[in-house]
Short mmCIF file of all heavy atoms in Angstrom, two decimals:
data_model
loop_
_atom_site.label_atom_id
_atom_site.label_comp_id
_atom_site.label_asym_id
_atom_site.label_seq_id
_atom_site.Cartn_x
_atom_site.Cartn_y
_atom_site.Cartn_z
N GLN A 151 23.10 -12.52 -6.08
CA GLN A 151 21.78 -12.69 -5.51
C GLN A 151 21.03 -11.36 -5.42
O GLN A 151 21.60 -10.31 -5.53
CB GLN A 151 21.94 -13.31 -4.09
CG GLN A 151 22.36 -14.75 -4.13
CD GLN A 151 22.33 -15.42 -2.77
OE1 GLN A 151 22.77 -14.85 -1.78
NE2 GLN A 151 21.72 -16.59 -2.69
N TYR A 152 19.72 -11.48 -5.18
CA TYR A 152 18.92 -10.27 -5.02
C TYR A 152 18.63 -10.09 -3.52
O TYR A 152 18.69 -10.98 -2.73
CB TYR A 152 17.58 -10.42 -5.76
CG TYR A 152 17.78 -10.32 -7.20
CD1 TYR A 152 18.00 -11.46 -8.04
CD2 TYR A 152 17.79 -9.11 -7.88
CE1 TYR A 152 18.22 -11.36 -9.41
CE2 TYR A 152 17.97 -9.00 -9.25
CZ TYR A 152 18.20 -10.11 -10.01
OH TYR A 152 18.41 -10.01 -11.31
N PRO A 153 18.35 -8.82 -3.13
CA PRO A 153 18.15 -8.50 -1.65
C PRO A 153 17.16 -9.40 -1.00
O PRO A 153 17.35 -9.83 0.13
CB PRO A 153 17.65 -7.11 -1.72
CG PRO A 153 18.26 -6.48 -2.93
CD PRO A 153 18.27 -7.57 -3.95
N HIS A 154 16.04 -9.81 -1.68
CA HIS A 154 15.05 -10.65 -0.96
C HIS A 154 15.57 -12.01 -0.64
O HIS A 154 14.95 -12.74 0.18
CB HIS A 154 13.74 -10.69 -1.77
CG HIS A 154 13.87 -11.57 -3.02
ND1 HIS A 154 14.13 -11.07 -4.27
CD2 HIS A 154 13.83 -12.88 -3.16
CE1 HIS A 154 14.22 -12.01 -5.08
NE2 HIS A 154 14.03 -13.19 -4.49
N GLN A 155 16.75 -12.40 -1.17
CA GLN A 155 17.28 -13.76 -0.86
C GLN A 155 18.19 -13.70 0.36
O GLN A 155 18.70 -14.75 0.79
CB GLN A 155 18.04 -14.24 -2.08
CG GLN A 155 17.07 -14.54 -3.29
CD GLN A 155 17.81 -14.76 -4.55
OE1 GLN A 155 18.62 -13.98 -4.97
NE2 GLN A 155 17.53 -15.84 -5.21
N LEU A 156 18.42 -12.51 0.94
CA LEU A 156 19.34 -12.36 2.08
C LEU A 156 18.55 -11.98 3.36
O LEU A 156 17.51 -11.31 3.31
CB LEU A 156 20.34 -11.25 1.80
CG LEU A 156 21.64 -11.65 1.07
CD1 LEU A 156 21.32 -12.25 -0.25
CD2 LEU A 156 22.54 -10.42 0.91
N SER A 157 19.02 -12.48 4.43
CA SER A 157 18.41 -12.12 5.73
C SER A 157 18.66 -10.69 6.13
O SER A 157 19.58 -10.05 5.57
CB SER A 157 18.94 -13.04 6.86
OG SER A 157 20.29 -12.66 7.16
N GLY A 158 17.95 -10.14 7.11
CA GLY A 158 18.16 -8.75 7.50
C GLY A 158 19.53 -8.46 8.00
O GLY A 158 20.14 -7.48 7.60
N GLY A 159 20.10 -9.37 8.81
CA GLY A 159 21.38 -9.21 9.37
C GLY A 159 22.46 -9.20 8.21
O GLY A 159 23.36 -8.31 8.21
N LEU A 160 22.29 -10.06 7.26
CA LEU A 160 23.20 -10.17 6.17
C LEU A 160 23.17 -8.99 5.28
O LEU A 160 24.17 -8.37 4.89
CB LEU A 160 22.88 -11.45 5.34
CG LEU A 160 23.97 -12.13 4.68
CD1 LEU A 160 25.15 -12.41 5.62
CD2 LEU A 160 23.45 -13.49 4.08
N LEU A 161 21.90 -8.44 5.11
CA LEU A 161 21.70 -7.30 4.26
C LEU A 161 22.29 -6.08 4.90
O LEU A 161 22.91 -5.24 4.23
CB LEU A 161 20.19 -7.11 4.01
CG LEU A 161 19.71 -6.60 2.69
CD1 LEU A 161 20.34 -7.39 1.58
CD2 LEU A 161 18.20 -6.66 2.63
N GLN A 162 22.24 -5.97 6.24
CA GLN A 162 22.81 -4.85 6.86
C GLN A 162 24.35 -4.93 6.79
O GLN A 162 25.04 -3.87 6.66
CB GLN A 162 22.35 -4.71 8.37
CG GLN A 162 22.64 -3.40 9.02
CD GLN A 162 22.08 -2.21 8.31
OE1 GLN A 162 22.40 -1.89 7.19
NE2 GLN A 162 21.07 -1.56 8.94
N ARG A 163 24.87 -6.12 6.74
CA ARG A 163 26.37 -6.22 6.56
C ARG A 163 26.76 -5.82 5.11
O ARG A 163 27.79 -5.23 4.87
CB ARG A 163 26.82 -7.65 6.85
CG ARG A 163 26.90 -7.83 8.39
CD ARG A 163 27.61 -9.14 8.72
NE ARG A 163 26.61 -10.18 8.79
CZ ARG A 163 26.98 -11.48 9.05
NH1 ARG A 163 28.23 -11.80 9.25
NH2 ARG A 163 26.04 -12.41 9.13
N VAL A 164 25.84 -6.14 4.16
CA VAL A 164 26.04 -5.66 2.81
C VAL A 164 26.11 -4.16 2.80
O VAL A 164 26.96 -3.52 2.18
CB VAL A 164 24.97 -6.17 1.87
CG1 VAL A 164 25.00 -5.48 0.58
CG2 VAL A 164 25.12 -7.70 1.62
N MET A 165 25.22 -3.58 3.59
CA MET A 165 25.09 -2.14 3.58
C MET A 165 26.44 -1.54 4.16
O MET A 165 26.92 -0.51 3.75
CB MET A 165 23.93 -1.68 4.49
CG MET A 165 23.65 -0.23 4.61
SD MET A 165 22.87 0.40 3.08
CE MET A 165 21.19 0.54 3.57
N ILE A 166 27.01 -2.17 5.14
CA ILE A 166 28.29 -1.74 5.75
C ILE A 166 29.36 -1.83 4.73
O ILE A 166 30.19 -0.90 4.59
CB ILE A 166 28.61 -2.63 7.00
CG1 ILE A 166 27.59 -2.33 8.18
CG2 ILE A 166 30.05 -2.38 7.51
CD1 ILE A 166 27.77 -3.17 9.35
N VAL A 167 29.35 -2.96 3.95
CA VAL A 167 30.39 -3.09 2.92
C VAL A 167 30.25 -1.91 1.91
O VAL A 167 31.31 -1.33 1.50
CB VAL A 167 30.24 -4.47 2.19
CG1 VAL A 167 31.12 -4.46 1.02
CG2 VAL A 167 30.64 -5.54 3.14
N ALA A 168 29.06 -1.58 1.51
CA ALA A 168 28.81 -0.53 0.59
C ALA A 168 29.37 0.78 1.17
O ALA A 168 29.91 1.57 0.38
CB ALA A 168 27.35 -0.39 0.26
N ALA A 169 29.17 0.92 2.42
CA ALA A 169 29.64 2.21 3.05
C ALA A 169 31.14 2.27 3.09
O ALA A 169 31.76 3.34 2.93
CB ALA A 169 29.07 2.33 4.48
N LEU A 170 31.81 1.12 3.30
CA LEU A 170 33.23 1.12 3.40
C LEU A 170 33.98 1.15 2.11
O LEU A 170 35.16 1.54 2.02
CB LEU A 170 33.71 -0.13 4.25
CG LEU A 170 33.28 -0.19 5.69
CD1 LEU A 170 33.60 -1.55 6.23
CD2 LEU A 170 33.93 0.84 6.54
N LEU A 171 33.29 0.75 1.06
CA LEU A 171 33.97 0.51 -0.25
C LEU A 171 34.72 1.76 -0.72
O LEU A 171 35.88 1.60 -1.17
CB LEU A 171 32.94 0.08 -1.25
CG LEU A 171 33.35 -0.73 -2.44
CD1 LEU A 171 34.16 -1.92 -1.99
CD2 LEU A 171 32.15 -1.11 -3.29
N PRO A 172 34.21 2.99 -0.66
CA PRO A 172 34.96 4.07 -1.11
C PRO A 172 35.95 4.65 -0.12
O PRO A 172 36.55 5.70 -0.42
CB PRO A 172 33.89 5.13 -1.52
CG PRO A 172 32.72 4.76 -0.73
CD PRO A 172 32.82 3.35 -0.34
N SER A 173 36.21 3.92 0.97
CA SER A 173 37.10 4.41 2.01
C SER A 173 36.76 5.80 2.50
O SER A 173 37.57 6.72 2.38
CB SER A 173 38.58 4.38 1.59
OG SER A 173 38.94 3.17 1.02
N PRO A 174 35.54 6.04 3.07
CA PRO A 174 35.11 7.31 3.54
C PRO A 174 35.88 7.66 4.83
O PRO A 174 36.50 6.82 5.45
CB PRO A 174 33.71 7.19 3.82
CG PRO A 174 33.49 5.74 4.19
CD PRO A 174 34.54 4.95 3.36
N ARG A 175 35.87 8.93 5.19
CA ARG A 175 36.50 9.38 6.47
C ARG A 175 35.50 9.45 7.56
O ARG A 175 35.84 9.47 8.72
CB ARG A 175 37.14 10.67 6.31
CG ARG A 175 38.37 10.56 5.33
CD ARG A 175 38.68 11.89 4.64
NE ARG A 175 39.35 12.77 5.63
CZ ARG A 175 39.61 14.08 5.35
NH1 ARG A 175 39.16 14.62 4.20
NH2 ARG A 175 40.23 14.87 6.19
N LEU A 176 34.19 9.53 7.22
CA LEU A 176 33.14 9.67 8.24
C LEU A 176 31.91 8.79 7.87
O LEU A 176 31.51 8.86 6.69
CB LEU A 176 32.71 11.15 8.41
CG LEU A 176 31.53 11.34 9.32
CD1 LEU A 176 31.72 10.95 10.75
CD2 LEU A 176 31.16 12.88 9.22
N ILE A 177 31.45 7.96 8.77
CA ILE A 177 30.24 7.18 8.51
C ILE A 177 29.12 7.65 9.31
O ILE A 177 29.25 7.87 10.55
CB ILE A 177 30.49 5.70 8.72
CG1 ILE A 177 31.37 5.10 7.64
CG2 ILE A 177 29.17 4.94 8.78
CD1 ILE A 177 31.64 3.64 7.74
N PHE A 178 27.93 8.05 8.67
CA PHE A 178 26.75 8.30 9.44
C PHE A 178 25.95 6.95 9.55
O PHE A 178 25.65 6.38 8.56
CB PHE A 178 25.87 9.30 8.68
CG PHE A 178 26.51 10.66 8.48
CD1 PHE A 178 27.03 11.09 7.30
CD2 PHE A 178 26.67 11.50 9.61
CE1 PHE A 178 27.54 12.34 7.11
CE2 PHE A 178 27.24 12.76 9.45
CZ PHE A 178 27.72 13.17 8.16
N ALA A 179 25.70 6.55 10.77
CA ALA A 179 24.94 5.29 10.92
C ALA A 179 23.55 5.66 11.59
O ALA A 179 23.52 6.13 12.70
CB ALA A 179 25.65 4.31 11.76
N ASP A 180 22.51 5.52 10.80
CA ASP A 180 21.17 5.92 11.31
C ASP A 180 20.36 4.72 11.80
O ASP A 180 19.83 3.93 11.04
CB ASP A 180 20.33 6.65 10.18
CG ASP A 180 19.05 7.23 10.61
OD1 ASP A 180 18.77 7.11 11.81
OD2 ASP A 180 18.34 7.79 9.79
N GLU A 181 20.39 4.54 13.13
CA GLU A 181 19.75 3.31 13.71
C GLU A 181 20.10 2.04 12.96
O GLU A 181 19.21 1.35 12.55
CB GLU A 181 18.25 3.47 13.73
CG GLU A 181 17.79 4.79 14.43
CD GLU A 181 17.06 4.56 15.75
OE1 GLU A 181 17.24 3.37 16.29
OE2 GLU A 181 16.45 5.43 16.29
N PRO A 182 21.37 1.72 12.82
CA PRO A 182 21.73 0.65 11.90
C PRO A 182 21.21 -0.72 12.35
O PRO A 182 21.15 -1.72 11.57
CB PRO A 182 23.22 0.69 11.79
CG PRO A 182 23.59 1.35 13.06
CD PRO A 182 22.56 2.28 13.37
N THR A 183 20.95 -0.86 13.66
CA THR A 183 20.61 -2.20 14.14
C THR A 183 19.18 -2.34 14.77
O THR A 183 18.88 -3.34 15.27
CB THR A 183 21.67 -2.65 15.26
OG1 THR A 183 21.63 -1.67 16.28
CG2 THR A 183 22.99 -2.80 14.64
N THR A 184 18.45 -1.26 14.63
CA THR A 184 17.15 -1.27 15.29
C THR A 184 16.20 -2.31 14.78
O THR A 184 15.44 -2.87 15.61
CB THR A 184 16.50 0.17 15.15
OG1 THR A 184 17.40 1.12 15.60
CG2 THR A 184 15.20 0.35 15.87
N ALA A 185 16.29 -2.64 13.51
CA ALA A 185 15.35 -3.58 12.95
C ALA A 185 15.81 -5.01 13.15
O ALA A 185 15.14 -5.98 12.75
CB ALA A 185 15.18 -3.32 11.46
N LEU A 186 16.93 -5.19 13.87
CA LEU A 186 17.51 -6.53 13.95
C LEU A 186 17.32 -7.20 15.31
O LEU A 186 17.14 -6.48 16.32
CB LEU A 186 19.02 -6.52 13.69
CG LEU A 186 19.49 -5.80 12.41
CD1 LEU A 186 20.93 -5.71 12.32
CD2 LEU A 186 18.92 -6.48 11.18
N ASP A 187 17.33 -8.50 15.38
CA ASP A 187 17.22 -9.22 16.66
C ASP A 187 18.49 -8.86 17.50
O ASP A 187 19.54 -8.51 17.00
CB ASP A 187 17.25 -10.74 16.43
CG ASP A 187 15.81 -11.24 16.10
OD1 ASP A 187 14.87 -10.65 16.68
OD2 ASP A 187 15.73 -12.14 15.33
N VAL A 188 18.36 -9.00 18.91
CA VAL A 188 19.46 -8.54 19.74
C VAL A 188 20.79 -9.26 19.41
O VAL A 188 21.89 -8.68 19.39
CB VAL A 188 19.23 -8.71 21.25
CG1 VAL A 188 18.64 -7.45 21.83
CG2 VAL A 188 18.42 -9.97 21.52
N THR A 189 20.71 -10.55 19.21
CA THR A 189 22.04 -11.30 18.94
C THR A 189 22.62 -10.84 17.58
O THR A 189 23.82 -10.67 17.53
CB THR A 189 21.87 -12.82 18.93
OG1 THR A 189 20.83 -13.10 17.96
CG2 THR A 189 21.43 -13.35 20.29
N VAL A 190 21.74 -10.57 16.62
CA VAL A 190 22.24 -10.09 15.34
C VAL A 190 22.75 -8.66 15.51
O VAL A 190 23.76 -8.26 14.92
CB VAL A 190 21.12 -10.12 14.27
CG1 VAL A 190 21.67 -9.72 12.96
CG2 VAL A 190 20.56 -11.47 14.20
N GLN A 191 22.07 -7.86 16.34
CA GLN A 191 22.56 -6.49 16.60
C GLN A 191 23.93 -6.52 17.13
O GLN A 191 24.83 -5.74 16.69
CB GLN A 191 21.57 -5.85 17.62
CG GLN A 191 22.18 -4.61 18.28
CD GLN A 191 21.19 -3.79 19.09
OE1 GLN A 191 20.31 -3.25 18.50
NE2 GLN A 191 21.32 -3.80 20.37
N SER A 192 24.17 -7.35 18.13
CA SER A 192 25.46 -7.42 18.76
C SER A 192 26.53 -7.76 17.72
O SER A 192 27.63 -7.25 17.61
CB SER A 192 25.42 -8.50 19.81
OG SER A 192 26.69 -8.72 20.36
#
Side-chain angles (χ1 to χ4, degrees):
Chain A
Q151 287 189 314
Y152 287 93
H154 71 264
Q155 294 167 304
L156 272 57
S157 71
L160 212 47
L161 216 50
Q162 194 57 295
R163 282 190 272 178
V164 167
M165 185 76 101
I166 292 174
V167 170
L170 293 171
L171 205 54
S173 308
R175 292 156 77 190
L176 170 64
I177 286 182
F178 297 109
D180 187 359
E181 304 251 16
T183 56
T184 305
L186 307 175
D187 277 326
V188 268
T189 54
V190 184
Q191 159 169 295
S192 172

